[in-house]
Structure formats: structure tokens, C-alpha cells
Amino acid sequence: MKRRRESGNMVAGRNALVRAMKTLLAALCFYALGLFNCITYTIRRQYRNLHVIESECRNRYSSNTCHTLTSNSLFLSTIVSRVHKFSVLKSSIISLGQLRKHQVIRYEYVPLSPLSAHRLSVVKRKILVLDLDETLIHSHHDGIIRPMVKPGTPPDFVLRVNIDRHPVRFFVHCRPHVDYFLSMVSQWFDLVIFTASMEIYGSSVADKLDNGKGILQRRYFRQHCTMDYGGYTKDLSAVHADLSSIFILDNSPSAYRKFPQNAIPIRSWFSDPTDTCLLALLPFLDALRFTSDVRSILSRNQQLQQVW
């Protein structure tokens, strides 16, 4: 009798274990199916957005650009039809992100009317001072253990410089649309680079951004800054004595602490490929060049920019 009881208990234990394993397997299958449906829905939604981009492209841009987007749409339609394959699914997500990052965006530049051209001729040409790190670019070097950029993201370029006789590699990522931004504002203003970084690094970054165009000739570095409250402050009066025609674009309010009426703040950038802050500034900058004193406009945001 005792053996029969033990045998019965073992059978009951096995049955309970089998039922538990079946329940766990069913739960895992249900979870995997839900995850698969979510990913599939996301890709199909992005695929539908491509048709919107394509139709807008046909209305606004050249046939060559439309052909590029159409080719990408056909490629993505093939991916969606084979979404059950994990390897293809992974590559489709990457392709969607890259397409969104590089979609064509342009600022509609309208030729000046005679009245606007006359107004522009009677005011001084302004000077736009540009910061580098976290404003136009973001970089990290070999010694950074936890970079802000997602691991595996390729840099736009790599700089090799010697600091204190030690070779250091900087992996530089450019803010989205920075090249187009510089090409536009260089037509409206005289550009000046003013960075709190060391000259050996900042000069190399400026050379890359300039790319032989000659639009970033004037440059100021850490040695031109002043220490204030434990940070570097940029003296705009050292760049240009007439403060009515100079302003700075910088992500750090402490950098323009003494010149809040001559500053345009911008959100710090590290790695977001969908960032459009530089593009969003173009209409405002286009209008700012017509004013006789930039402080009459920029001082309206002074309270928002003040650092306590």
C-alpha cells in the first residue's frame, strides 16, 4: 500500500509539472504573438507614412528625389510582405529609421521684394556666433566609458589629435541638417565659431564643418573665454564691439551669461536622428537680419534665458 501511494504521488507530481509546463508554454506563445503583432503594426504604420512622404515629395521636390523615395518604398514593401522572418524584420526597422533621418527637408527661400532688398541694404550685416559641442555636433573620445550616443552608431567623422603628447580619437556626430543650416545662414550672416573647447580639437571640427567653403574662417576657443562661476563665459564684445549686430546660438546659457539680450538658446543635442531644431530656426533667422538691433527682438526672451 505504501508503494502504491508513493507511485500515485509521483504520477500526480508529474502530471502537475506537465500542466505547469503547458501553461508556461502557452503564456510564452501568447506573449511572443503579441510582440510580433506590435512590431508588425509599427512597420506597417511606418510604411503607410512613406506613401504620404512620397506624395508630398511629388508636389514639392524634384523627380530625382521622388525616385529615391519611391525606390525605398518598394524596398520596404518587400520587407513587410516577409515580416515573418526575424532577420528581415530587424533590417526593416533599421531601414525605416535611416529613411526618416535622411528624408528631404528644405526651407522655402523666397527672393526678396524690392522693398525688402532696400531695407536689407540700409541695415548692418549681422554676425552669428556659433557654438560647437551639443549645438552643431556631439563628440566623445576613447576615454569615455558611457557615451551619450547609442553603441554601434557610426560617427560622421573621426578626429585624431594629440593632447598633452597623447594621441586621442574623437568620434564626432553632426546634428541633423547642420550642413544645410550652415549653407543657408552663411548667405545671411558672417559666421564665427566660438567654443569653450581646446583649439586643437575645435579647429579640426570647424575645418570639417566648413569643408573648404570658407564660411567658418573666424574662430575663438577656450583661451578666449573667461572663467565665471566655475564655467567658461564667452565675451561677444571681443568678437565685435557693436552689440546691436551680433548674437550667439548656444545650448549653454552660462556661456552667454553676460549677453542674454544677444543670445538664442537651443536644445542640447546628443544623438536624436529626428532632431529639427536647426531647421526650425531658419525662418526666425531669415527675419532677424532685417532688424537694426538684434537686442530689440532677442531681449524679449531674456527672462527665460536668465541663469540663477
Side-chain angles (χ1 to χ4, degrees):
M1 292 293 293
K2 186 175 181 180
R3 291 182 178 178
R4 289 181 180 178
R5 289 178 183 176
E6 292 178 353
S7 177
N9 291 336
M10 292 178 63
V11 172
R14 289 197 197 97
N15 293 336
L17 180 61
V18 170
R19 286 195 298 271
M21 292 180 65
K22 288 182 178 179
T23 303
L24 179 61
L25 182 61
L28 290 175
C29 291
F30 180 78
Y31 174 77
L33 181 61
L35 180 62
F36 178 80
N37 289 334
C38 289
I39 296 176
T40 305
Y41 171 76
T42 301
I43 290 181
R44 287 176 178 171
R45 184 177 61 181
Q46 296 290 350
Y47 176 69
R48 287 195 297 269
N49 291 340
L50 287 175
H51 288 287
V52 177
I53 296 173
E54 181 181 346
S55 61
E56 184 176 351
C57 171
R58 293 182 186 278
N59 296 330
R60 294 189 179 184
Y61 307 119
S62 64
S63 58
N64 292 334
T65 305
C66 293
H67 176 72
T68 302
L69 286 177
T70 303
S71 300
N72 286 324
S73 300
L74 294 175
F75 171 69
L76 289 170
S77 65
T78 304
I79 292 176
V80 173
S81 66
R82 301 179 181 180
V83 71
H84 61 280
K85 294 185 178 181
F86 177 78
S87 60
V88 179
L89 175 62
K90 182 178 179 181
S91 64
S92 68
I93 295 173
I94 295 174
S95 299
L96 282 169
Q98 291 177 345
L99 183 60
R100 172 173 289 186
K101 176 180 178 180
H102 298 292
Q103 62 179 315
V104 178
I105 301 177
R106 289 291 182 267
Y107 174 62
E108 295 293 339
Y109 180 74
V110 180
L112 296 178
S113 65
L115 182 61
S116 297
H118 173 71
R119 171 62 182 175
L120 199 59
S121 66
V122 298
V123 297
K124 297 179 181 178
R125 184 176 173 88
K126 311 299 186 298
I127 297 175
L128 171 55
V129 179
L130 296 168
D131 175 49
L132 286 180
D133 291 286
E134 283 68 69
T135 297
L136 299 182
I137 58 101
H138 172 71
S139 69
H140 60 92
H141 57 80
D142 297 311
I144 298 296
I145 300 177
R146 298 179 60 185
M148 299 294 294
V149 180
K150 183 179 179 180
T153 304
D156 290 285
F157 55 88
V158 179
L159 298 178
R160 294 173 174 83
V161 298
N162 291 321
I163 300 178
D164 295 332
R165 299 182 180 180
H166 296 286
V168 180
R169 289 188 305 171
F170 286 92
F171 303 91
V172 184
H173 302 261
C174 293
R175 192 167 196 154
H177 315 292
V178 64
D179 291 332
Y180 181 71
F181 174 81
L182 292 175
S183 68
M184 292 298 295
V185 296
S186 63
Q187 302 175 47
W188 305 335
F189 309 104
D190 294 331
L191 303 184
V192 175
I193 293 294
F194 203 153
T195 175
S197 301
M198 292 182 293
E199 182 173 356
I200 191 172
Y201 160 80
S203 181
S204 299
V205 173
D207 287 340
K208 288 288 187 178
L209 294 177
D210 185 275
N211 196 24
K213 300 184 183 71
I215 60 177
L216 300 176
Q217 295 297 312
R218 295 186 62 187
R219 304 169 185 180
Y220 294 80
F221 306 100
R222 180 174 297 179
Q223 64 267 28
H224 303 108
C225 299
T226 56
M227 287 295 296
D228 190 12
Y229 295 98
Y232 292 103
T233 301
K234 301 172 183 179
D235 185 4
L236 296 184
S237 62
V239 179
H240 190 63
D242 183 8
L243 294 179
S244 67
S245 58
I246 184 173
F247 61 102
I248 185 172
L249 177 65
D250 201 312
N251 71 299
S252 176
S254 61
Y256 50 80
R257 185 193 307 273
K258 297 181 179 179
F259 303 92
Q261 297 181 347
N262 296 80
I264 298 178
I266 189 171
R267 184 184 306 163
S268 297
W269 181 82
F270 297 97
S271 61
D272 181 11
T274 63
D275 180 87
T276 56
C277 287
L278 293 178
L279 288 178
L281 281 173
L282 289 177
F284 176 74
L285 295 176
D286 190 2
L288 190 62
R289 60 187 175 133
F290 291 92
T291 185
S292 58
D293 190 337
V294 296
R295 295 170 295 184
S296 64
I297 304 298
L298 301 182
S299 61
R300 300 183 182 185
N301 288 330
Q302 183 176 354
Q303 292 182 352
L304 298 178
Q305 301 174 25
Q306 189 170 2
V307 180
W308 298 96

PDB file of all heavy atoms in Angstrom, residues 229-254:
ATOM      1  N   TYR A 229      32.001  81.793 -12.335  1.00  0.00           N
ATOM      2  CA  TYR A 229      31.196  80.839 -11.573  1.00  0.00           C
ATOM      3  C   TYR A 229      31.549  79.391 -11.928  1.00  0.00           C
ATOM      4  O   TYR A 229      30.678  78.525 -12.040  1.00  0.00           O
ATOM      5  CB  TYR A 229      29.703  81.079 -11.809  1.00  0.00           C
ATOM      6  CG  TYR A 229      29.210  82.406 -11.294  1.00  0.00           C
ATOM      7  CD1 TYR A 229      29.077  83.493 -12.156  1.00  0.00           C
ATOM      8  CD2 TYR A 229      28.892  82.577  -9.944  1.00  0.00           C
ATOM      9  CE1 TYR A 229      28.634  84.717 -11.693  1.00  0.00           C
ATOM     10  CE2 TYR A 229      28.442  83.804  -9.475  1.00  0.00           C
ATOM     11  CZ  TYR A 229      28.316  84.865 -10.346  1.00  0.00           C
ATOM     12  OH  TYR A 229      27.874  86.079  -9.881  1.00  0.00           O
ATOM     13  N   GLY A 230      32.822  79.136 -12.121  1.00  0.00           N
ATOM     14  CA  GLY A 230      33.271  77.779 -12.394  1.00  0.00           C
ATOM     15  C   GLY A 230      33.051  77.299 -13.807  1.00  0.00           C
ATOM     16  O   GLY A 230      33.288  76.125 -14.105  1.00  0.00           O
ATOM     17  N   GLY A 231      32.608  78.168 -14.699  1.00  0.00           N
ATOM     18  CA  GLY A 231      32.384  77.778 -16.092  1.00  0.00           C
ATOM     19  C   GLY A 231      32.980  78.794 -17.041  1.00  0.00           C
ATOM     20  O   GLY A 231      33.443  79.865 -16.641  1.00  0.00           O
ATOM     21  N   TYR A 232      32.952  78.449 -18.321  1.00  0.00           N
ATOM     22  CA  TYR A 232      33.513  79.322 -19.347  1.00  0.00           C
ATOM     23  C   TYR A 232      32.420  80.240 -19.907  1.00  0.00           C
ATOM     24  O   TYR A 232      31.354  79.782 -20.315  1.00  0.00           O
ATOM     25  CB  TYR A 232      34.125  78.499 -20.477  1.00  0.00           C
ATOM     26  CG  TYR A 232      35.360  77.733 -20.065  1.00  0.00           C
ATOM     27  CD1 TYR A 232      35.306  76.363 -19.822  1.00  0.00           C
ATOM     28  CD2 TYR A 232      36.580  78.383 -19.920  1.00  0.00           C
ATOM     29  CE1 TYR A 232      36.441  75.657 -19.444  1.00  0.00           C
ATOM     30  CE2 TYR A 232      37.724  77.690 -19.540  1.00  0.00           C
ATOM     31  CZ  TYR A 232      37.644  76.328 -19.301  1.00  0.00           C
ATOM     32  OH  TYR A 232      38.772  75.642 -18.921  1.00  0.00           O
ATOM     33  N   THR A 233      32.719  81.532 -19.908  1.00  0.00           N
ATOM     34  CA  THR A 233      31.812  82.536 -20.456  1.00  0.00           C
ATOM     35  C   THR A 233      32.432  83.142 -21.707  1.00  0.00           C
ATOM     36  O   THR A 233      33.634  83.405 -21.748  1.00  0.00           O
ATOM     37  CB  THR A 233      31.533  83.644 -19.420  1.00  0.00           C
ATOM     38  OG1 THR A 233      30.961  83.066 -18.251  1.00  0.00           O
ATOM     39  CG2 THR A 233      30.572  84.677 -19.984  1.00  0.00           C
ATOM     40  N   LYS A 234      31.601  83.384 -22.706  1.00  0.00           N
ATOM     41  CA  LYS A 234      32.078  83.906 -23.988  1.00  0.00           C
ATOM     42  C   LYS A 234      31.781  85.401 -24.080  1.00  0.00           C
ATOM     43  O   LYS A 234      30.628  85.821 -23.922  1.00  0.00           O
ATOM     44  CB  LYS A 234      31.405  83.145 -25.135  1.00  0.00           C
ATOM     45  CG  LYS A 234      31.699  81.645 -25.082  1.00  0.00           C
ATOM     46  CD  LYS A 234      30.889  80.846 -26.077  1.00  0.00           C
ATOM     47  CE  LYS A 234      31.170  79.351 -25.917  1.00  0.00           C
ATOM     48  NZ  LYS A 234      30.385  78.514 -26.853  1.00  0.00           N
ATOM     49  N   ASP A 235      32.819  86.166 -24.331  1.00  0.00           N
ATOM     50  CA  ASP A 235      32.711  87.622 -24.402  1.00  0.00           C
ATOM     51  C   ASP A 235      32.436  88.027 -25.850  1.00  0.00           C
ATOM     52  O   ASP A 235      33.336  88.034 -26.691  1.00  0.00           O
ATOM     53  CB  ASP A 235      33.999  88.261 -23.897  1.00  0.00           C
ATOM     54  CG  ASP A 235      33.907  89.781 -23.837  1.00  0.00           C
ATOM     55  OD1 ASP A 235      32.815  90.329 -24.120  1.00  0.00           O
ATOM     56  OD2 ASP A 235      34.925  90.421 -23.515  1.00  0.00           O
ATOM     57  N   LEU A 236      31.192  88.367 -26.138  1.00  0.00           N
ATOM     58  CA  LEU A 236      30.828  88.736 -27.505  1.00  0.00           C
ATOM     59  C   LEU A 236      31.432  90.069 -27.920  1.00  0.00           C
ATOM     60  O   LEU A 236      31.670  90.306 -29.106  1.00  0.00           O
ATOM     61  CB  LEU A 236      29.302  88.790 -27.640  1.00  0.00           C
ATOM     62  CG  LEU A 236      28.552  87.471 -27.438  1.00  0.00           C
ATOM     63  CD1 LEU A 236      27.064  87.667 -27.699  1.00  0.00           C
ATOM     64  CD2 LEU A 236      29.112  86.374 -28.332  1.00  0.00           C
ATOM     65  N   SER A 237      31.691  90.942 -26.948  1.00  0.00           N
ATOM     66  CA  SER A 237      32.279  92.240 -27.287  1.00  0.00           C
ATOM     67  C   SER A 237      33.702  92.090 -27.804  1.00  0.00           C
ATOM     68  O   SER A 237      34.213  92.975 -28.499  1.00  0.00           O
ATOM     69  CB  SER A 237      32.258  93.162 -26.068  1.00  0.00           C
ATOM     70  OG  SER A 237      33.048  92.626 -25.011  1.00  0.00           O
ATOM     71  N   ALA A 238      34.360  90.972 -27.469  1.00  0.00           N
ATOM     72  CA  ALA A 238      35.697  90.723 -28.008  1.00  0.00           C
ATOM     73  C   ALA A 238      35.635  90.288 -29.467  1.00  0.00           C
ATOM     74  O   ALA A 238      36.611  90.424 -30.206  1.00  0.00           O
ATOM     75  CB  ALA A 238      36.401  89.654 -27.175  1.00  0.00           C
ATOM     76  N   VAL A 239      34.486  89.767 -29.874  1.00  0.00           N
ATOM     77  CA  VAL A 239      34.302  89.367 -31.269  1.00  0.00           C
ATOM     78  C   VAL A 239      33.918  90.564 -32.122  1.00  0.00           C
ATOM     79  O   VAL A 239      34.420  90.748 -33.237  1.00  0.00           O
ATOM     80  CB  VAL A 239      33.225  88.264 -31.372  1.00  0.00           C
ATOM     81  CG1 VAL A 239      33.012  87.847 -32.825  1.00  0.00           C
ATOM     82  CG2 VAL A 239      33.617  87.061 -30.527  1.00  0.00           C
ATOM     83  N   HIS A 240      32.996  91.391 -31.573  1.00  0.00           N
ATOM     84  CA  HIS A 240      32.523  92.563 -32.317  1.00  0.00           C
ATOM     85  C   HIS A 240      32.064  93.610 -31.310  1.00  0.00           C
ATOM     86  O   HIS A 240      31.269  93.312 -30.412  1.00  0.00           O
ATOM     87  CB  HIS A 240      31.378  92.167 -33.247  1.00  0.00           C
ATOM     88  CG  HIS A 240      30.983  93.233 -34.219  1.00  0.00           C
ATOM     89  ND1 HIS A 240      31.839  93.713 -35.190  1.00  0.00           N
ATOM     90  CD2 HIS A 240      29.816  93.917 -34.369  1.00  0.00           C
ATOM     91  CE1 HIS A 240      31.219  94.633 -35.902  1.00  0.00           C
ATOM     92  NE2 HIS A 240      29.995  94.785 -35.422  1.00  0.00           N
ATOM     93  N   ALA A 241      32.557  94.819 -31.457  1.00  0.00           N
ATOM     94  CA  ALA A 241      32.269  95.865 -30.472  1.00  0.00           C
ATOM     95  C   ALA A 241      30.819  96.328 -30.520  1.00  0.00           C
ATOM     96  O   ALA A 241      30.244  96.704 -29.492  1.00  0.00           O
ATOM     97  CB  ALA A 241      33.205  97.056 -30.682  1.00  0.00           C
ATOM     98  N   ASP A 242      30.205  96.296 -31.688  1.00  0.00           N
ATOM     99  CA  ASP A 242      28.825  96.754 -31.843  1.00  0.00           C
ATOM    100  C   ASP A 242      27.870  95.611 -31.495  1.00  0.00           C
ATOM    101  O   ASP A 242      27.619  94.717 -32.310  1.00  0.00           O
ATOM    102  CB  ASP A 242      28.593  97.230 -33.275  1.00  0.00           C
ATOM    103  CG  ASP A 242      27.194  97.794 -33.472  1.00  0.00           C
ATOM    104  OD1 ASP A 242      26.466  97.952 -32.470  1.00  0.00           O
ATOM    105  OD2 ASP A 242      26.833  98.075 -34.634  1.00  0.00           O
ATOM    106  N   LEU A 243      27.323  95.650 -30.291  1.00  0.00           N
ATOM    107  CA  LEU A 243      26.462  94.565 -29.827  1.00  0.00           C
ATOM    108  C   LEU A 243      25.079  94.583 -30.470  1.00  0.00           C
ATOM    109  O   LEU A 243      24.292  93.653 -30.259  1.00  0.00           O
ATOM    110  CB  LEU A 243      26.316  94.632 -28.307  1.00  0.00           C
ATOM    111  CG  LEU A 243      27.599  94.373 -27.509  1.00  0.00           C
ATOM    112  CD1 LEU A 243      27.326  94.485 -26.013  1.00  0.00           C
ATOM    113  CD2 LEU A 243      28.179  93.001 -27.842  1.00  0.00           C
ATOM    114  N   SER A 244      24.780  95.599 -31.242  1.00  0.00           N
ATOM    115  CA  SER A 244      23.480  95.636 -31.912  1.00  0.00           C
ATOM    116  C   SER A 244      23.431  94.707 -33.121  1.00  0.00           C
ATOM    117  O   SER A 244      22.348  94.402 -33.628  1.00  0.00           O
ATOM    118  CB  SER A 244      23.154  97.063 -32.357  1.00  0.00           C
ATOM    119  OG  SER A 244      24.051  97.491 -33.375  1.00  0.00           O
ATOM    120  N   SER A 245      24.587  94.247 -33.562  1.00  0.00           N
ATOM    121  CA  SER A 245      24.628  93.444 -34.789  1.00  0.00           C
ATOM    122  C   SER A 245      25.359  92.121 -34.601  1.00  0.00           C
ATOM    123  O   SER A 245      25.915  91.574 -35.550  1.00  0.00           O
ATOM    124  CB  SER A 245      25.290  94.239 -35.918  1.00  0.00           C
ATOM    125  OG  SER A 245      26.604  94.631 -35.542  1.00  0.00           O
ATOM    126  N   ILE A 246      25.355  91.608 -33.375  1.00  0.00           N
ATOM    127  CA  ILE A 246      25.981  90.314 -33.121  1.00  0.00           C
ATOM    128  C   ILE A 246      25.103  89.520 -32.165  1.00  0.00           C
ATOM    129  O   ILE A 246      24.505  90.077 -31.240  1.00  0.00           O
ATOM    130  CB  ILE A 246      27.403  90.472 -32.533  1.00  0.00           C
ATOM    131  CG1 ILE A 246      28.071  89.103 -32.369  1.00  0.00           C
ATOM    132  CG2 ILE A 246      27.377  91.241 -31.223  1.00  0.00           C
ATOM    133  CD1 ILE A 246      29.534  89.187 -31.948  1.00  0.00           C
ATOM    134  N   PHE A 247      24.999  88.221 -32.394  1.00  0.00           N
ATOM    135  CA  PHE A 247      24.243  87.353 -31.489  1.00  0.00           C
ATOM    136  C   PHE A 247      24.830  85.953 -31.561  1.00  0.00           C
ATOM    137  O   PHE A 247      25.545  85.601 -32.503  1.00  0.00           O
ATOM    138  CB  PHE A 247      22.751  87.348 -31.832  1.00  0.00           C
ATOM    139  CG  PHE A 247      22.426  86.837 -33.205  1.00  0.00           C
ATOM    140  CD1 PHE A 247      21.942  85.554 -33.395  1.00  0.00           C
ATOM    141  CD2 PHE A 247      22.584  87.651 -34.324  1.00  0.00           C
ATOM    142  CE1 PHE A 247      21.632  85.083 -34.656  1.00  0.00           C
ATOM    143  CE2 PHE A 247      22.273  87.194 -35.591  1.00  0.00           C
ATOM    144  CZ  PHE A 247      21.800  85.903 -35.763  1.00  0.00           C
ATOM    145  N   ILE A 248      24.518  85.152 -30.539  1.00  0.00           N
ATOM    146  CA  ILE A 248      25.124  83.836 -30.392  1.00  0.00           C
ATOM    147  C   ILE A 248      24.043  82.764 -30.332  1.00  0.00           C
ATOM    148  O   ILE A 248      22.965  82.978 -29.760  1.00  0.00           O
ATOM    149  CB  ILE A 248      26.021  83.777 -29.132  1.00  0.00           C
ATOM    150  CG1 ILE A 248      26.747  82.427 -29.045  1.00  0.00           C
ATOM    151  CG2 ILE A 248      25.209  84.044 -27.869  1.00  0.00           C
ATOM    152  CD1 ILE A 248      27.792  82.377 -27.933  1.00  0.00           C
ATOM    153  N   LEU A 249      24.343  81.619 -30.923  1.00  0.00           N
ATOM    154  CA  LEU A 249      23.495  80.426 -30.832  1.00  0.00           C
ATOM    155  C   LEU A 249      24.258  79.394 -30.016  1.00  0.00           C
ATOM    156  O   LEU A 249      25.293  78.893 -30.452  1.00  0.00           O
ATOM    157  CB  LEU A 249      23.180  79.887 -32.231  1.00  0.00           C
ATOM    158  CG  LEU A 249      22.350  78.600 -32.294  1.00  0.00           C
ATOM    159  CD1 LEU A 249      20.955  78.825 -31.732  1.00  0.00           C
ATOM    160  CD2 LEU A 249      22.274  78.077 -33.727  1.00  0.00           C
ATOM    161  N   ASP A 250      23.738  79.088 -28.816  1.00  0.00           N
ATOM    162  CA  ASP A 250      24.484  78.234 -27.890  1.00  0.00           C
ATOM    163  C   ASP A 250      23.502  77.453 -27.025  1.00  0.00           C
ATOM    164  O   ASP A 250      22.466  77.983 -26.615  1.00  0.00           O
ATOM    165  CB  ASP A 250      25.401  79.087 -27.009  1.00  0.00           C
ATOM    166  CG  ASP A 250      26.549  78.286 -26.399  1.00  0.00           C
ATOM    167  OD1 ASP A 250      26.279  77.202 -25.844  1.00  0.00           O
ATOM    168  OD2 ASP A 250      27.700  78.746 -26.479  1.00  0.00           O
ATOM    169  N   ASN A 251      23.842  76.199 -26.744  1.00  0.00           N
ATOM    170  CA  ASN A 251      22.975  75.369 -25.905  1.00  0.00           C
ATOM    171  C   ASN A 251      23.180  75.620 -24.419  1.00  0.00           C
ATOM    172  O   ASN A 251      22.356  75.186 -23.600  1.00  0.00           O
ATOM    173  CB  ASN A 251      23.231  73.888 -26.195  1.00  0.00           C
ATOM    174  CG  ASN A 251      24.589  73.429 -25.676  1.00  0.00           C
ATOM    175  OD1 ASN A 251      25.622  73.941 -26.104  1.00  0.00           O
ATOM    176  ND2 ASN A 251      24.593  72.483 -24.754  1.00  0.00           N
ATOM    177  N   SER A 252      24.255  76.312 -24.054  1.00  0.00           N
ATOM    178  CA  SER A 252      24.579  76.531 -22.643  1.00  0.00           C
ATOM    179  C   SER A 252      24.314  77.980 -22.248  1.00  0.00           C
ATOM    180  O   SER A 252      25.045  78.881 -22.677  1.00  0.00           O
ATOM    181  CB  SER A 252      26.051  76.178 -22.386  1.00  0.00           C
ATOM    182  OG  SER A 252      26.408  76.477 -21.053  1.00  0.00           O
ATOM    183  N   PRO A 253      23.300  78.252 -21.433  1.00  0.00           N
ATOM    184  CA  PRO A 253      23.014  79.633 -21.021  1.00  0.00           C
ATOM    185  C   PRO A 253      24.159  80.290 -20.267  1.00  0.00           C
ATOM    186  O   PRO A 253      24.318  81.513 -20.323  1.00  0.00           O
ATOM    187  CB  PRO A 253      21.775  79.490 -20.129  1.00  0.00           C
ATOM    188  CG  PRO A 253      21.142  78.203 -20.553  1.00  0.00           C
ATOM    189  CD  PRO A 253      22.281  77.310 -20.933  1.00  0.00           C
ATOM    190  N   SER A 254      24.967  79.501 -19.561  1.00  0.00           N
ATOM    191  CA  SER A 254      26.083  80.092 -18.820  1.00  0.00           C
ATOM    192  C   SER A 254      27.136  80.675 -19.751  1.00  0.00           C
ATOM    193  O   SER A 254      27.906  81.548 -19.353  1.00  0.00           O
ATOM    194  CB  SER A 254      26.723  79.038 -17.912  1.00  0.00           C
ATOM    195  OG  SER A 254      27.232  77.955 -18.676  1.00  0.00           O
TER     196      SER A 254
END
